[in-house]
Amino acid sequence: MNNSPSAHSEVPASEKLDLPTKLAYGAGDLGTAITANILVVFLLIFFTNVAGLSPALAGSVLLIGKVWDAINDPIVGVLSDRTKSRWGRRHSWMIFGAVPFGIFFFLQWLVPRFSDNPNANQWGLFWYYVIISILFNSFYTAVNLPYTALTPELTQDYDERTSLNSFRFAFSIGGSILSLVLALAIFDKFKGDAIQQYLVLGAICAVLSVLPIYWCVWGTRQRVKEAESRRQEISQSESLPYLQQLKIAFSNRPFLYVIGIYLCSWLAVQNTVAVIPYFVKNWMGLTDQDFTKVVMAVQVTGLAMLFVWSAVSKRVGKKAVYFMGMAVWIIAEIGLFFLKPGQIGLMYLLAIMAGFGVSTAYLVPWSMIPDVIELDELHTGQRREGIFYGFMVLLQKIALALGLFLVGIALEQSGFVSTVAGQPEPTQPESALWAIRLLIGPIPTIILLIGLVLAYLYPITREVHTEILLKLQERKQARTEE
């Protein structure tokens, strides 16, 4: 372990990153975090309580959009690996995808009227939101996937990557908090007009989401240019076929552990966040502003803990940090299941505890994936960040869609009563309240426990990673001497 710094110093890409580069890199996740957070917190309840879709149709909109992502994400990953442009193979996607990304985010918050017949209007809205969802997710991928693949290009240092991801997710969680603060202010400004509330929120967040992408491109351009020059010098020139790349990626055992850890973490996150509005409003008997504050409590804590966990990781390693955060999170999930209406203070305490775990769900898997990529480079001679990050982004979206879809189906099956646009919210039956409590506690707890098992089995430690870098360095030197 003590030999790590000297080993890393031999690798040019392991040089420490300066603060402006880290800030610019972090800013790249601000816009996508704003949109993703608004969607996961508000979109399902917007569909059911504002647009008037049934829970099953609302959940299906999200799931259909992600079926397209199952095709879209890996393809964009491979294409970004192969892109040749004067703006760089990652930056060119971000530059040209940013504006359409913002436009289609905004269009998701319109409530067009297609028919005076309620059933016909339901299906008109359903297909409208499906089409917009597919287009939005396409441009989200075009922007976010190449961005995430920048991490291993900026540094190869084991601990520096954790630090870099701390900046990334500080902006990410900060963007999530900002989106909720905006939501609170806009909901208060336009009280009584839910359609106007979401329309204004969508417009402001769309603008705020586009601008930081260009900050990221500008601030990381020089570092990425240098990394690209090194990659072209040492990488094999031949490009493997797409299906062969998939086969190699999924034969990488540590990669399978990472995607399992990530899927479990984010499925728990998305499931919990999706059901919090229903839990706070229907079980605790509180308001829209209250559930927004609960989500903020989780995310503010997660933001504060990012740099704490990053520092702890340097001492005890990524796996240990993950175990610590998950343990606190599991206790919080169990506590929410037993929470009774009126226990407001305890509700916020449990939300803060959940934030301890959520921050490790952001930090740890994304810090592991660059190590996996270098193991792949050692085996294949190619750096193929795009395909690995493609599957990571795909899993994030699948977790989001699956979480929202399962919540929608569970509410539908439990007898949840949708709000008719313009009408007061109905009283929910006991069966729906029971389903909401199960979704907030036991179900995410089981998912998190599976993730802990996978984290225990993950094999790449700091020492193993140092050995991988040394072998890559030896290969480079051998080629230079030829």
Side-chain angles (χ1 to χ4, degrees):
M1 185 177 299
N2 294 334
N3 295 331
S4 295
S6 60
H8 289 184
S9 65
E10 298 175 10
V11 183
S14 67
E15 297 169 1
K16 301 297 182 183
L17 300 173
D18 59 25
L19 182 60
T21 301
K22 289 183 177 181
L23 288 172
Y25 174 76
D29 214 33
L30 179 62
T32 50
I34 289 173
T35 59
N37 192 64
I38 290 292
L39 292 174
V40 73
V41 175
F42 295 109
L43 192 59
L44 185 59
I45 203 165
F46 168 79
F47 283 158
T48 59
N49 290 22
V50 179
L53 287 177
S54 71
L57 283 181
S60 297
V61 169
L62 299 161
L63 190 64
I64 290 171
K66 303 316 172 188
V67 169
W68 162 243
D69 273 338
I71 303 170
N72 179 37
D73 281 2
I75 291 176
V76 171
V78 172
L79 291 176
S80 73
D81 280 343
R82 298 177 179 178
T83 296
K84 295 180 180 179
S85 167
R86 64 189 180 93
W87 291 287
R89 57 178 184 160
R90 314 296 182 196
H91 283 165
S92 56
W93 288 81
M94 298 167 67
I95 291 168
F96 294 106
V99 173
F101 157 72
I103 291 172
F104 286 108
F105 172 76
F106 169 72
L107 293 177
Q108 291 178 101
W109 305 101
L110 298 178
V111 187
R113 187 170 185 83
F114 294 96
S115 174
D116 291 331
N117 181 294
N119 185 61
N121 193 60
Q122 276 258 319
W123 284 103
L125 287 170
F126 171 76
W127 287 112
Y128 169 79
Y129 291 125
V130 164
I131 293 169
I132 296 300
S133 176
I134 289 172
L135 291 169
F136 168 74
N137 282 308
S138 297
F139 285 104
Y140 184 103
T141 298
V143 169
N144 189 242
L145 194 154
Y147 162 74
T148 60
L150 290 175
T151 308
E153 298 185 3
L154 292 173
T155 179
Q156 288 185 328
D157 187 90
Y158 184 85
D159 291 318
E160 190 73 354
R161 282 173 173 168
T162 305
S163 174
L164 187 63
N165 276 292
S166 298
F167 278 84
R168 173 189 171 184
F169 292 117
F171 274 92
S172 179
I173 299 177
S176 299
I177 294 168
L178 173 62
S179 69
L180 296 176
V181 171
L182 286 171
L184 284 172
I186 292 167
F187 290 168
D188 183 66
K189 176 71 174 178
F190 297 94
K191 285 181 180 178
D193 190 346
I195 293 177
Q196 187 71 10
Q197 288 174 341
Y198 284 103
L199 197 63
V200 173
L201 180 63
I204 293 175
C205 288
V207 174
L208 292 177
S209 297
V210 170
L211 297 179
I213 295 170
Y214 294 106
W215 175 13
C216 176
V217 170
W218 177 260
T220 61
R221 70 194 189 286
Q222 187 59 41
R223 184 79 180 191
V224 169
K225 183 179 179 180
E226 294 169 359
E228 180 66 12
S229 297
R230 286 193 298 268
R231 183 189 68 83
Q232 292 177 358
E233 290 176 3
I234 65 176
S235 292
Q236 296 176 356
S237 58
E238 65 268 19
S239 180
L240 298 175
Y242 176 61
L243 292 179
Q244 189 175 346
Q245 292 199 42
L246 293 183
K247 182 179 179 180
I248 293 174
F250 281 94
S251 65
N252 186 320
R253 188 166 61 92
F255 177 60
L256 297 179
Y257 285 124
V258 172
I259 61 177
I261 294 165
Y262 190 62
L263 181 58
C264 289
S265 300
W266 273 93
L267 186 55
V269 170
Q270 306 303 348
N271 180 88
T272 302
V273 174
V275 81
I276 277 178
Y278 299 98
F279 179 81
V280 173
K281 293 182 68 175
N282 298 115
W283 174 247
M284 299 299 291
L286 302 175
T287 66
D288 287 342
Q289 285 77 9
D290 290 305
F291 83 68
T292 305
K293 291 174 183 176
V294 171
V295 177
M296 283 183 64
V298 175
Q299 294 180 333
V300 168
T301 305
L303 175 61
M305 287 302 299
L306 272 178
F307 295 97
V308 175
W309 287 132
S310 180
V312 174
S313 175
K314 292 181 180 180
R315 290 181 172 272
V316 302
K318 298 170 185 177
K319 289 169 62 171
V321 163
Y322 188 78
F323 271 82
M324 293 175 192
M326 291 301 110
V328 179
W329 190 3
I330 287 171
I331 293 170
E333 296 284 3
I334 295 171
L336 286 171
F337 175 72
F338 290 104
L339 197 67
K340 302 296 182 184
Q343 295 179 316
I344 309 302
L346 182 56
M347 177 183 69
Y348 280 102
L349 175 61
L350 293 171
I352 291 170
M353 291 174 64
F356 278 72
V358 169
S359 62
T360 61
Y362 279 94
L363 183 63
V364 174
W366 285 106
S367 299
M368 289 175 169
I369 194 66
D371 308 336
V372 170
I373 290 170
E374 267 137 15
L375 179 61
D376 173 72
E377 182 185 4
L378 183 63
H379 291 161
T380 68
Q382 291 189 331
R383 288 193 65 84
R384 299 173 300 139
E385 295 92 340
I387 192 167
F388 285 100
Y389 278 95
F391 281 103
M392 287 289 281
V393 173
L394 170 62
L395 284 171
Q396 183 179 18
K397 294 177 182 179
I398 286 176
L400 187 153
L402 191 58
L404 295 177
F405 176 73
L406 292 176
V407 169
I409 294 298
L411 292 176
E412 181 88 3
Q413 295 300 316
S414 68
F416 183 88
V417 183
S418 298
T419 302
V420 177
Q423 299 296 320
E425 291 189 27
T427 301
Q428 300 299 334
E430 286 296 323
S431 57
L433 297 177
W434 177 249
I436 289 169
R437 293 177 63 208
L438 287 176
L439 289 166
I440 201 73
I443 290 177
T445 296
I446 292 170
I447 296 169
L448 291 174
L449 288 172
I450 295 171
L452 283 176
V453 173
L454 296 173
Y456 177 78
L457 297 173
Y458 177 71
I460 300 181
T461 62
R462 180 183 285 107
E463 292 78 12
V464 171
H465 180 253
T466 299
E467 185 178 350
I468 291 170
L469 287 182
L470 286 172
K471 290 180 179 178
L472 289 172
Q473 180 71 5
E474 289 170 1
R475 177 189 292 171
K476 178 184 175 181
Q477 290 174 346
R479 287 179 181 166
T480 302
E481 294 170 358
E482 290 177 357

